[in-house]
Amino acid sequence: MDNRLKLKDKKRIVIKVGTTSLTYPNGRIDLKRVSNLAWVLTDLRSGGREVMLVSSGAIAVGAERLKLAERPAEVKGKQAASAVGQAILMQMYENFFMQYNQVIAQILLTKDVLEDETRKLNARNTFFTLFEMGVIPVVNENDTVSVEELGFSENDELSAYVACLTDADLLIILSDKDGLYAGGDPDVNPNSVLIDEVSEINGDIIALAGETKSKLGTGGMATKLVSAKMAVDNGIDVIMASNRDPSIIFKILDGEKHGTLFVS
Ligand code: GLU
């Protein structure tokens, strides 16, 4: 059976959106995209799927609220901005999901939680209980208490951990790139071709990532591939697709060819 058609049956899904998916370059929230994300996720949930949202954006939104000229470079500045921004982010999600009567929950994780068996089990049980209650967990790193060297390198990695922790069937990473390209970053090389499917994330595939990085977010294609590999190695399919219109998720789950599929 076509690997794309198998996506129709995916039940437990992690959707990761980065800062660039949620905010304008000036750090203000892109309401249209967030609003669309809320109805798409609610609709998936209503259709019987268990969805989790891994959302960045706390630092950028906090920096904007604090009227900082740019994203702080120092750890304590990032932590302070995140402490301000995370609350705003959740308030915004709450407002949008409320329109569809969808209950959401905030889960803030640190890497050490997932490396400790007891704490990991507790976190896992919380996710499962929320699924039973019909709630959509919204996950971010607990930036204020996470030590940079020991934390997740970025939320791509966090999303792979969450997918593994919850035995997800699929991880969808939305970003400002349409997927993985052969020929490098399509913004640099217009002749680059989008790869439809990758059956093994090996050195040759990782080499295709190059140095692409976004200005507001922290991740690039290389970190996405390393995170995708972690998920794939744990039996979870991964899709990387464009963040332009969140309803692309419906098309992907319908078996249409969008983005790049990394087959587990
Ligand atoms: N946890 C950070 C935030 O919410 C984001 C880390 C990342 O961009 O991957 O701002």
Side-chain angles (χ1 to χ4, degrees):
M1 187 182 180
D2 185 308
N3 286 323
R4 288 284 184 166
L5 293 178
K6 288 188 195 156
L7 299 182
K8 289 185 178 205
D9 299 326
K10 301 289 179 189
K11 181 153 190 279
R12 184 171 293 164
I13 303 167
V14 177
I15 289 136
K16 188 261 169 182
V17 290
T19 302
T20 28
S21 306
L22 303 169
T23 57
Y24 287 105
N26 62 12
R28 299 207 63 168
I29 292 171
D30 184 336
L31 295 172
K32 147 177 70 23
R33 272 201 212 157
V34 177
S35 164
N36 285 340
L37 197 59
W39 80 261
V40 170
L41 265 53
T42 302
D43 198 64
L44 293 176
R45 178 68 243 188
S46 305
R49 289 180 151 112
E50 294 169 336
V51 287
M52 293 153 266
L53 176 64
V54 173
S55 171
S56 310
I59 299 174
V61 168
E64 195 272 331
R65 174 60 63 93
L66 289 164
K67 307 223 174 315
L68 306 181
E70 54 194 29
R71 188 186 168 102
E74 265 183 87
V75 175
K76 62 182 183 188
K78 282 190 213 163
Q79 290 178 316
S82 172
V84 172
Q86 179 65 25
I88 302 170
L89 208 56
M90 286 312 293
Q91 185 185 32
M92 174 199 70
Y93 280 127
E94 182 64 35
N95 288 342
F96 281 114
F97 279 98
M98 262 278 267
Q99 290 180 355
Y100 307 106
N101 214 13
Q102 173 62 54
V103 182
I104 58 167
Q106 170 183 260
I107 297 192
L108 298 178
L109 292 172
T110 46
K111 203 170 187 178
D112 56 324
V113 168
L114 303 182
E115 284 165 353
D116 175 285
E117 277 313 311
T118 312
R119 298 169 82 196
K120 182 174 163 180
L121 195 62
N122 279 325
R124 187 175 146 91
N125 287 338
T126 306
F127 274 101
F128 292 165
T129 308
L130 289 168
F131 293 149
E132 277 166 24
M133 293 172 162
V135 175
I136 296 183
V138 180
V139 189
N140 197 355
E141 180 162 9
N142 192 355
D143 292 322
T144 47
V145 297
S146 109
V147 187
E148 194 158 50
E149 299 74 47
L150 302 177
F152 298 104
S153 56
E154 25 50 48
N155 274 10
D156 296 319
E157 189 184 8
L158 171 64
S159 68
Y161 267 86
V162 169
C164 296
L165 176 74
T166 59
D167 303 330
D169 305 312
L170 180 67
L171 166 61
I172 300 179
I173 300 179
L174 299 180
S175 79
D176 51 0
K177 301 281 172 254
D178 288 344
L180 180 66
Y181 280 80
D185 188 342
D187 291 339
V188 180
N189 176 9
N191 297 322
S192 276
V193 182
L194 182 67
I195 300 174
D196 171 47
E197 193 173 306
V198 171
S199 54
E200 193 197 343
I201 304 178
N202 52 27
D204 293 344
I205 291 292
I206 292 186
L208 293 175
E211 288 295 305
T212 49
K213 223 175 162 73
S214 69
K215 199 157 157 259
L216 277 175
T218 52
M221 188 48 84
T223 64
K224 285 186 177 46
L225 286 174
V226 172
S227 306
K229 182 163 169 42
M230 176 183 169
V232 162
D233 288 349
N234 281 279
I236 303 161
D237 285 352
V238 178
I239 289 266
M240 283 182 204
S242 161
N243 62 15
R244 264 187 307 279
D245 178 1
S247 61
I248 194 170
I249 299 171
F250 292 137
K251 298 177 188 162
I252 289 168
L253 294 175
D254 234 11
E256 286 183 29
K257 291 192 188 240
H258 294 280
T260 304
L261 166 63
F262 299 84
V263 189
S264 66

